[in-house]
Amino acid sequence: MPTILDGNLVREEIKAECRPRVEKIIARAGRPPGLAVVLVGNNPASQVYVSSKTKTAADLGMLSETITPPASISTEELLGIIETLNARPEIDGILVQLPLPPQIDSQRILLAVAPEKDVDGFHPYNVGLLATGRPGPRPCTPAGVIELLKRHKLPIAGQNAVVVGRSDIVGKPAAFLLLQENATVTICHSKTRDLPGVCRTADILVAAIGRPAMVTADYIKPGAVVIDVGINKIESRAEGERIFDPKRLADFDRRGSLLVGDVHPGDMARLASAYTPVPGGVGPLTIAMLMRNTIESAERRTARAAAA
Ligand code: NAP
């Protein structure tokens, strides 16, 4: 039987470790770690993500503030909001929820976040820290992947790791983090030749593609550890029939849609020695890692303030 890498369990472990760190910061600095989330406009999916983030922060005793400018805001006005947050001492982390409306220059906004408050780890300064193996905030979803592997005591050093996807948010940072853990890393993308063949060399296969159940049996070496980062909503029954077993198909029929990752769930369960389910695998860790990044920023900043 394969090991199911339970993200909900690991999330609770990480949250439990966060609580005493929050208390220590309050005792030292007289204030909790502070997270500011900038949510532009009314994108319903973004509203759900942001509300989970602020709820988790509140649950951990952290300060969380959501700034909600209208969708019509200009780049200059949004830069003004970021600058104000950069200057506020009680804010340790700033998160700009993506995507931003089309009139906004997203690159300028992300560059404007002070690197020491960039708890998403997306600022080029922090990307440089990651690439050179120096301490700093790591992008939350890939950091969660490493936590899942380590806390299940799955070996990384010396393993062949194949990451499918090279986005700045998931694929590239996942590859850097695996390299830092001494895996031998291959990064694949849409121009990779013989993708199934390359994936079959993987002891650890990470799929971060955004294509429902694209990774099928011919991509998976028997016994591999498979990490499925993808989150895709299936709404077509024909697609559901290709992907789901009869029990899940019955769920699909009841609800009219279901989530699936980038890996075919049945093939993954049959071939992998350990794998992340979707939902309930990598997903739950992203917010937990955001909290940890914010707490680490608060630890650095309050220690510096205390020493000054
Ligand atoms: P993205 O920016 O769209 O990047 C997708 C990557 O997959 C690209 O590098 C692309 O290659 C590659 N790709 C696309 N089609 C391919 C194909 N047919 N063969 C090989 N490679 C292919 O997506 P992302 O932001 O990294 O997200 C990936 C998935 O993770 C999505 O399902 C997303 O919803 C999910 N996600 C989950 C979490 C979480 O909390 N669990 C967080 C973030 C994202 P090119 O570069 O060549 O175009």
Side-chain angles (χ1 to χ4, degrees):
M1 283 294 279
T3 304
I4 297 176
L5 305 174
D6 186 338
N8 290 313
L9 217 70
V10 174
R11 173 188 59 195
E12 291 312 309
E13 270 177 35
I14 294 170
K15 279 172 65 184
E17 291 161 9
C18 285
R19 288 179 207 282
R21 292 172 78 174
V22 170
E23 280 160 23
K24 217 165 148 187
I25 291 165
I26 295 172
R28 178 167 65 198
R31 66 164 184 87
L35 173 67
V37 182
V38 181
L39 171 61
V40 179
N42 304 307
N43 179 329
S46 295
Q47 283 168 335
V48 172
Y49 292 139
V50 167
S51 123
S52 317
K53 288 168 186 174
T54 51
K55 260 193 219 139
T56 308
D59 176 39
L60 292 176
M62 294 162 58
L63 165 79
S64 83
E65 190 175 306
T66 309
I67 295 109
T68 54
S72 57
I73 192 169
S74 68
T75 300
E76 296 304 326
E77 287 165 329
L78 194 51
L79 284 172
I81 291 176
I82 303 292
E83 272 157 28
T84 306
L85 292 172
N86 282 343
R88 281 175 55 188
E90 78 284 17
I91 296 297
D92 301 293
I94 302 170
L95 183 150
V96 181
Q97 186 64 42
L98 301 175
L100 292 168
Q103 82 277 10
I104 302 282
D105 183 342
S106 298
Q107 284 307 321
R108 269 183 81 195
I109 299 298
L110 294 181
L111 273 174
V113 174
E116 66 159 13
K117 297 190 178 187
D118 164 41
V119 281
D120 262 336
F122 293 163
H123 192 286
Y125 178 85
N126 291 322
V127 176
L129 294 181
L130 167 63
T132 53
R134 293 177 165 86
R138 304 306 194 212
C140 300
T141 302
V145 169
I146 301 294
E147 288 296 321
L148 269 173
L149 293 171
K150 284 189 168 175
R151 287 175 192 249
H152 286 87
K153 306 215 171 344
L154 293 166
I156 306 177
Q159 300 294 89
N160 286 337
V162 174
V163 180
V164 189
R166 57 173 164 182
S167 71
D168 292 341
I169 296 172
V170 189
K172 272 186 218 157
F176 274 122
L177 287 171
L178 287 161
L179 184 63
Q180 209 168 309
E181 297 295 333
N182 297 314
T184 302
V185 182
T186 305
I187 306 176
C188 300
H189 45 77
S190 63
K191 306 290 184 292
T192 297
R193 263 183 283 149
D194 185 20
L195 184 62
V198 178
C199 289
R200 277 198 309 276
T201 66
D203 304 309
I204 300 172
L205 177 60
V206 179
I209 312 165
R211 297 190 185 265
M214 188 190 103
V215 173
T216 46
D218 51 331
Y219 291 64
I220 304 171
K221 177 167 82 172
V225 172
V226 181
I227 305 290
D228 189 355
V229 182
I231 303 176
N232 310 287
K233 194 171 182 183
I234 299 297
E235 291 175 303
S236 128
R237 193 170 200 285
E239 185 77 330
E241 282 169 20
R242 176 180 80 83
I243 297 171
F244 299 121
D245 62 20
K247 184 174 164 287
R248 295 277 288 152
L249 204 55
D251 288 345
F252 173 88
D253 286 336
R254 225 180 13 260
R255 295 189 208 169
S257 70
L258 269 189
L259 292 182
V260 72
D262 292 338
V263 186
H264 190 284
D267 292 352
M268 177 161 69
R270 191 161 50 81
L271 290 167
S273 61
Y275 69 91
T276 54
V278 176
V282 175
L285 288 175
T286 300
I287 294 179
M289 300 315 291
L290 174 69
M291 298 302 130
R292 199 166 84 178
N293 279 349
T294 306
I295 290 167
E296 282 172 3
S297 168
E299 285 169 347
R300 281 191 290 269
R301 298 182 67 252
T302 54
R304 219 173 36 226

